[in-house]
Each structure stands twice: as C-alpha cells, then as structure tokens.
Amino acid sequence: MRNGEVSYWWQSRGLPARRPPLPGSAEADVCIVGAGYTGLWTAYYLKRADPGLRVIVLEAGFAGFGASGRNGGWVTATLPGSRARYATHGHGRAGVRELERRLRETVDEVGQVCADEGIDAGLVKGGTLTVATSAAQDARLRQELDTGRAWGDGPEILRYLGPAELAGRLQVAGAVGALYAPHCARVQPADLAAGLAEVVTRAGVLLYEGTPVTSISAGRARTPGGEVRAPYVLRCTEGFTAEMPGERRTLLPMNSSMIITGRLSDRAWKSIGWDGGETLGDEAHAYIYAQRTPDGRIALGGRGVPYRFGSRLDHDGAIAASTVAQLGKILRRMFPAATEAGIDHAWCGVLGVPRDWCATVVLDPVTRLGWAGGYSGHGVAAANLAGRTLADLVRGVPSPLTTLPWVGHHSPRWEPEPARWTGVHGLYALYRTADRLESARRSPRTSLLARAGDLISGIPH
C-alpha cells in the first residue's frame, strides 16, 4: 500500500513536470498567490473576460498540490457555511437562496468548462446520497429535509429515499434511508487541477511553481526569488493560509484523510450497484465521504487526525497506520464486498475552516488586496464561483455575483494554542463517542454529546 506521495489522484496520472519558479522581480496587473482551484479559476475568468490582462500566479509547490489535488472529488452545490449566518449578513433569506442557486448552477458551469476546454476529468453529474445507518441518523436526515422545505427546497433540490429506493441505486450495509440531492458531480480532482493549469497557461497566464510567497502587502507579493508588483494581489491559499505571516488564526487547517481500494471485480460491483456516479456521504457526526471512481475503485475519506498542533501541515500527504485502519474498518462495514480489493493507497490533506464555518470572498477597495476561501470541505464547486466573483470584483464590473452574501463576510479568528488544538481534538472525541452510542441503541434522538459538540464548535446545521 502506498502512503502519502501527495495523493492517489496524482499518482494515477503521474506527478507533473514542474514549471519554472519566478526568475526575478516582475510586474503584473493581477498577482494571484496559490495555484489551487480558487487561484486557477480566478485566473481563468480574468483572462477570459480580458485577454490583455497581465496575470501572474505564484505557487509554492505545483498547481493542484494542496486540497485541489487530494479531495474526495465532489463538485457539490452544498453551501459552505450556515444559512442563518449568511442571512444575517444583510441580505436575508433571499440572498442565501440566490447564493445557493448560483452554487447549483456552478456544478454545471464546471462541467461546461471541462467540455469547452477539453479537460477530461471523469466528471459525471450523478448527484449525492447521504445515508443513515441508525435511527438517530435517519431522524436527522428527516429534520434536514423539513428544514430544507422551510427554506423553499423542493424535491428537485432534495428528497428522501426509503430503503428500497436507496437499494435500487446503491447497497450500503445497514442503511435505513437517505437524502438525495441531484446537484453534485463526481470528478477526478487532480485531472481537473492539471487541466485548468494547462488552460490558463495557454491563455497567457504566467504560472510560477516552486515559488513560496513570504509576505503580501498592498501592491506586492514577496518571494525568495524576487517580488511581484501588481495593483491587485489576491490570496488564494485556503488550507495553507496559516503559513502566511499574520494569518495563523484566520483559517484552521483541518486535516482529512482518504483511502482507495484496488479495482473491484464485476461480481462485487453487481452486489453493490452504484452505477449512477453518485457521491456518497453519511449522517454520522464524524462523517465520511466517498465516490465510485472512473477506474472501478472506492475512494473513501474521513477525519483521522483532525488537526495538528500549531496549525502544522502534513508531510507529503502521509497518514498514520491507525487512520488507515480506522477508515478501512468503515469501508468494510459499509461495503463488505469491497474487502476482496484491499486498500491500494492512503493520503491526507488540509482544508481551510473559518471559525464560523462560513466562506468568504473579499476585495479591499483601498489596498486592493483580496482573498477567497474557507470552504470547509465544499470547495470544488465553491472555488469556481469564488473565482468568478473575484474576477468581477477586480475588474469592477456590475455583477450579481458581487452582491452575494459571502462577499465581504468577515469570520472571527480562531483561538490561540493550546485552546485550538484541545478544542478540535475534544470535539471529535465527542463526535466519535456520540456515533458509537447512537449505533448501539435504537433511539431516534441525537446524542447529547454531539449536541454539546455542536454548541462548542459552532458547526452549522
């Protein structure tokens, strides 16, 4: 079994040849720090709107090295944050509904760009299934459906599937029900990142890899190889934001781990189903996420070690053997037929979590410093919408995107250490204990331990 080496997604296609680093000081109209999805999409839409713009992208590793090349491959319309919190931002329920509508459109936008630009990323829009495997989980799914209906979600946005209807799509051992949302697509995330990088460089964007940015200020991004001077400097660093000076408490680098099986036999797939390309999650508090890959495997992820003290990052995606064992146990419990395929690869990465779990798109009109991120694990589609929004903000064009409720949103900072480490690890200890208690009993009530965790963390529901 391979461990780390960035991710299976990158290993399956081969790590890319590195582009040259910044050769010396340079000037641009827009400087983007970070070549993940947010940075690449922003560069894409800037050049598409104005091909004459001089756009430079600076990347410490290579394009797609971070979460963009390690995630679960969900192009999901899930709102990255709390409806109630966005509603209080001055836009009310109508503003939240508009943001959600735009996110649903974004799933199709990503697919359209892939088709238009010839990016073969295995994208299939099969929707997403959230399964319940206990009475308490099922009760939460039904409550989520009721809440959705109260916000105006019709069956074309969200609907409940009973055991028989779920089994017609996918066999998950012990499942008692599920929610189905059609606005989600499966993708091979490294293929998407690599394809985007090729497209923007063909369009004239200067992408410099192996170029860490040491500091950002109005009009300047400094690197060991020189500085880039530009009227607009955009920070698109997501889970790596804590490495920037002064930003250690802006976004918490939450760690997420993944495993992927070998190829399953036709017999195993016949017993499992899963022919529709749906992405899969569950309603556990320490939840999992999964997909059936284009090459016939199951990729499954979960928290593992959720956070490293001092906002430290992983080493090339390597994870502990105990985390591999934990995720393997979940995989075998949900899909006994997958046991025969074994586990081929395990890896991890960080995602950016704001203290209030709400994503942000910002451009300061005075300093012209901007940033977007804090997607809390829902960034594959959200980064596209954020990139389009940043491009409109930079160009100063009238746009319905620049009035969405996440524009200008400011989240509070995270607590200093050791409170940050203690809080996150204590929270997930509560959630795992709550999951065990709920699975052991038939009560539909959510564990009090989980409710306490929600209050402490501020996780939206």
Side-chain angles (χ1 to χ4, degrees):
M1 183 198 75
R2 283 183 161 180
N3 190 345
E5 302 178 18
V6 188
S7 71
Y8 167 78
W9 310 121
W10 276 114
Q11 292 298 327
S12 67
R13 60 171 288 118
L15 291 175
R18 301 299 176 92
R19 296 177 175 87
L22 180 71
S25 294
E27 294 189 0
D29 297 310
V30 183
C31 176
I32 297 171
V33 180
Y37 290 145
T38 304
L40 293 172
W41 282 123
T42 303
Y44 176 79
Y45 288 105
L46 281 169
K47 290 293 283 187
R48 194 165 80 170
D50 186 349
L53 279 176
R54 298 173 299 166
V55 180
I56 288 179
V57 179
L58 304 174
E59 166 59 41
F62 59 83
F65 171 79
S68 298
R70 308 188 195 190
N71 63 81
W74 289 34
V75 189
T76 176
T78 300
L79 184 71
S82 161
R83 281 169 159 167
R85 287 179 188 141
Y86 285 128
T88 60
H89 191 57
H91 300 265
R93 292 170 67 96
V96 176
R97 297 298 293 167
E98 178 64 9
L99 176 56
E100 292 182 312
R101 186 180 73 82
R102 294 287 179 175
L103 285 166
R104 291 192 293 271
E105 290 179 348
T106 296
V107 179
D108 296 322
E109 170 71 8
V110 172
Q112 190 62 55
V113 172
C114 287
D116 292 344
E117 302 291 355
I119 300 173
D120 183 5
L123 190 145
V124 175
K125 188 182 178 184
T128 191
L129 291 163
T130 305
V131 301
T133 56
S134 71
Q137 290 183 24
D138 192 53
R140 287 197 294 275
L141 287 186
R142 293 174 185 275
Q143 179 59 52
E144 184 178 339
L145 182 66
D146 291 343
T147 300
R149 294 289 184 262
W151 275 84
D153 292 344
E156 77 284 357
I157 295 175
L158 191 68
R159 64 188 181 93
Y160 182 84
L161 308 183
E165 192 173 2
L166 171 61
R169 290 175 174 267
L170 172 63
Q171 293 280 352
V172 177
V176 296
L179 288 181
Y180 175 70
H183 297 285
C184 186
R186 177 202 74 189
V187 75
Q188 207 281 33
D191 285 347
L192 178 58
L196 277 175
E198 288 295 325
V199 168
V200 300
T201 53
R202 284 201 306 266
V205 171
L206 298 177
L207 171 54
Y208 296 113
E209 299 180 332
T211 304
V213 172
T214 56
S215 68
I216 295 171
S217 59
R220 297 176 189 273
R222 295 175 178 83
T223 83
E227 66 178 23
V228 175
R229 295 179 294 275
Y232 293 93
V233 180
L234 309 177
R235 173 170 55 78
C236 303
T237 48
E238 187 58 359
F240 291 80
T241 299
E243 294 194 316
M244 299 296 297
E247 306 292 347
R248 187 167 294 276
R249 292 167 55 195
T250 300
L251 293 177
L252 185 137
M254 182 74 76
N255 192 66
S256 200
S257 301
M258 293 197 72
I259 58 172
I260 192 165
T261 67
R263 287 185 175 87
L264 273 67
S265 66
D266 291 342
R267 181 184 60 188
W269 282 123
K270 186 176 181 179
S271 68
I272 294 172
W274 212 347
D275 298 321
E278 303 95 339
T279 58
L280 174 71
D282 71 354
E283 192 59 21
H285 303 291
Y287 57 85
I288 61 93
Y289 51 94
Q291 65 153 284
R292 175 178 176 171
T293 68
D295 59 351
R297 305 163 185 261
I298 295 176
L300 181 143
R303 279 291 170 261
V305 177
Y307 173 71
R308 294 177 173 85
F309 188 88
S311 295
R312 293 196 304 271
L313 304 178
D314 59 88
H315 178 67
D316 202 30
I319 66 175
S322 58
T323 300
V324 178
Q326 173 190 330
L327 294 176
K329 182 179 179 181
I330 295 170
L331 173 73
R332 291 187 294 274
R333 184 179 72 235
M334 297 181 77
F335 302 108
T339 302
E340 66 176 36
I343 297 172
D344 270 10
H345 201 136
W347 70 96
C348 69
V350 293
L351 51 104
V353 178
R355 188 61 182 89
D356 64 357
W357 300 80
C358 289
T360 299
V361 182
V362 172
L363 181 67
D364 188 306
V366 176
T367 65
R368 295 179 177 177
L369 293 171
W371 78 278
Y375 309 121
S376 300
H378 302 305
V380 182
N384 173 282
L385 181 58
R388 282 185 279 150
T389 305
L390 273 178
D392 286 350
L393 288 167
V394 167
R395 295 173 56 243
V397 298
S399 164
L401 302 186
T402 61
T403 62
L404 293 172
W406 65 354
V407 175
H409 177 78
H410 290 281
S411 301
R413 290 167 66 81
W414 282 89
E415 292 81 358
E417 297 290 21
R420 195 160 67 243
W421 186 92
T422 303
V424 174
H425 281 262
L427 170 69
Y428 278 93
L430 284 174
Y431 281 160
R432 290 185 179 111
T433 302
D435 285 331
R436 288 195 296 271
L437 291 173
E438 289 178 2
S439 295
R441 56 184 172 83
R442 298 182 178 180
S443 172
R445 297 186 62 185
T446 291
S447 167
L448 292 175
L449 293 177
R451 295 180 185 182
D454 290 348
L455 289 173
I456 294 167
S457 68
I459 290 177
H461 289 281

